[in-house]
Amino acid sequence: MKPSSFLYFARFGIRSILFRKKDPILGTVIVTDKCNLSCKHCSVNNITAVLYPYRQIRAEMQTLYKMGVRILFFCGGETFLWHDGKMTLRDLVIEAKKMGFLIVNVVTNGTFPLCLPEADLILLSLDGTRSQHNEIRGDTYDLIMENIRNAASDNICFYMAVNQINQSGIRDVCLAAKNTPNIRAVSFNFHTPYPDTKTLALSKQEKAACCNVIRQMMKEGAPVFNLKSALGYNKLSKNSH
């Protein structure tokens, strides 16, 4: 992180704590809900399958920036499917940086070539062991690992949505994050139980057990992105993108 960015976030933290300001700092732009996969835990893909036009996305970015947002996420659907004419996701990331966003991240399922060095982080979904991941997302594990090996830079972070199928794979994903080139860290989230995916949700006891495994892996040097202090409350954010 650039010193100027660090100072900006430090000032934001001081304002939020001392003066109880509630200004936003983080925002998300959904570029499409179109996706090339049909994952078992997902209830929001291909509802419209619309690729939103560049003009609309840029207007949303400007609105977020004026609100004070400086950490921007591009999400889908599958973000790498987005295009508007010759413009691609990479153009959106570059435009966001020019606009003044200090951190620009992208969420992806990893099945497309990862040529996006301008992004601060590429949050890539890896859902357990090879067999667990493929059960959830289809036969994509090997393709994703190949794309990671061929990535343009080391700005990738694994993103695991923990559910009934893959809860035993936390350790494996931690080790993959530790031992795979181009991977900086792994971030864990609990599955969001939409009405049609309630059976995948974890109980409080299962969530507590998962947090214990994550804490242990942190002790063993795994590059876990989650805050250790938050794990004690068993409140990993709920998301299953």
Side-chain angles (χ1 to χ4, degrees), residues 157-222:
C157 177
F158 285 145
Y159 183 76
M160 179 179 177
V162 186
N163 57 42
Q164 288 291 344
I165 296 173
N166 64 12
Q167 60 181 309
S168 66
I170 290 174
R171 180 178 178 83
D172 296 88
V173 175
C174 284
L175 292 175
K178 185 177 181 179
N179 299 323
T180 304
N182 292 330
I183 301 297
R184 289 188 186 178
V186 55
S187 175
F188 292 100
N189 303 271
F190 287 135
H191 170 66
T192 301
Y194 285 89
D196 60 333
T197 62
K198 285 183 178 180
T199 58
L200 294 176
L202 300 176
S203 67
K204 289 184 178 179
Q205 293 76 18
E206 288 170 326
K207 290 179 180 179
C210 290
C211 288
N212 288 336
V213 174
I214 296 170
R215 278 197 297 268
Q216 179 59 38
M217 293 309 300
M218 294 172 81
K219 289 180 181 178
E220 295 179 18

Side-chain angles (χ1 to χ4, degrees), residues 38-43 134-137 165 191 196-197 200:
S38 297
C39 303
K40 286 187 177 180
H41 62 201
C42 184
S43 302
N134 286 344
E135 181 180 352
I136 295 169
R137 293 181 173 268
I165 296 173
H191 170 66
D196 60 333
T197 62
L200 294 176

Side-chain angles (χ1 to χ4, degrees), residues 25-222:
I25 191 67
L26 185 151
T28 297
V29 173
I30 297 175
V31 298
T32 182
D33 71 345
K34 186 176 183 179
C35 190
N36 59 317
L37 302 182
S38 297
C39 303
K40 286 187 177 180
H41 62 201
C42 184
S43 302
V44 295
N45 64 306
N46 294 311
I47 295 175
T48 65
V50 170
L51 301 174
Y52 296 110
Y54 168 75
R55 185 174 298 177
Q56 178 180 332
I57 293 173
R58 192 177 188 281
E60 290 182 10
M61 290 161 58
Q62 288 177 319
T63 298
L64 291 173
Y65 189 83
K66 290 177 182 178
M67 292 171 61
V69 169
R70 293 297 181 270
I71 303 173
L72 184 67
F73 282 77
F74 287 115
C75 296
E78 172 45 45
T79 51
F80 277 90
L81 284 173
W82 184 86
H83 67 89
D84 187 345
K86 293 183 178 180
M87 300 192 73
T88 67
L89 179 63
R90 189 173 188 178
D91 294 297
L92 294 181
V93 173
I94 293 172
E95 179 62 24
K97 288 285 189 176
K98 288 180 179 178
M99 197 174 290
F101 289 98
L102 303 178
I103 296 176
V104 181
N105 301 330
V106 168
V107 181
T108 178
N109 61 33
T111 59
F112 291 87
L114 302 170
C115 183
L116 201 56
E118 294 84 2
D120 291 279
L121 275 183
I122 298 174
L123 291 158
L124 185 152
S125 298
L126 192 77
D127 285 323
T129 64
R130 185 178 185 275
S131 60
Q132 291 168 342
H133 175 96
N134 286 344
E135 181 180 352
I136 295 169
R137 293 181 173 268
D139 188 12
T140 58
Y141 189 92
D142 292 340
L143 171 62
I144 290 168
M145 288 301 178
E146 179 67 19
N147 287 338
I148 291 170
R149 286 191 290 271
N150 295 328
S153 58
D154 63 347
N155 58 349
I156 303 170
C157 177
F158 285 145
Y159 183 76
M160 179 179 177
V162 186
N163 57 42
Q164 288 291 344
I165 296 173
N166 64 12
Q167 60 181 309
S168 66
I170 290 174
R171 180 178 178 83
D172 296 88
V173 175
C174 284
L175 292 175
K178 185 177 181 179
N179 299 323
T180 304
N182 292 330
I183 301 297
R184 289 188 186 178
V186 55
S187 175
F188 292 100
N189 303 271
F190 287 135
H191 170 66
T192 301
Y194 285 89
D196 60 333
T197 62
K198 285 183 178 180
T199 58
L200 294 176
L202 300 176
S203 67
K204 289 184 178 179
Q205 293 76 18
E206 288 170 326
K207 290 179 180 179
C210 290
C211 288
N212 288 336
V213 174
I214 296 170
R215 278 197 297 268
Q216 179 59 38
M217 293 309 300
M218 294 172 81
K219 289 180 181 178
E220 295 179 18

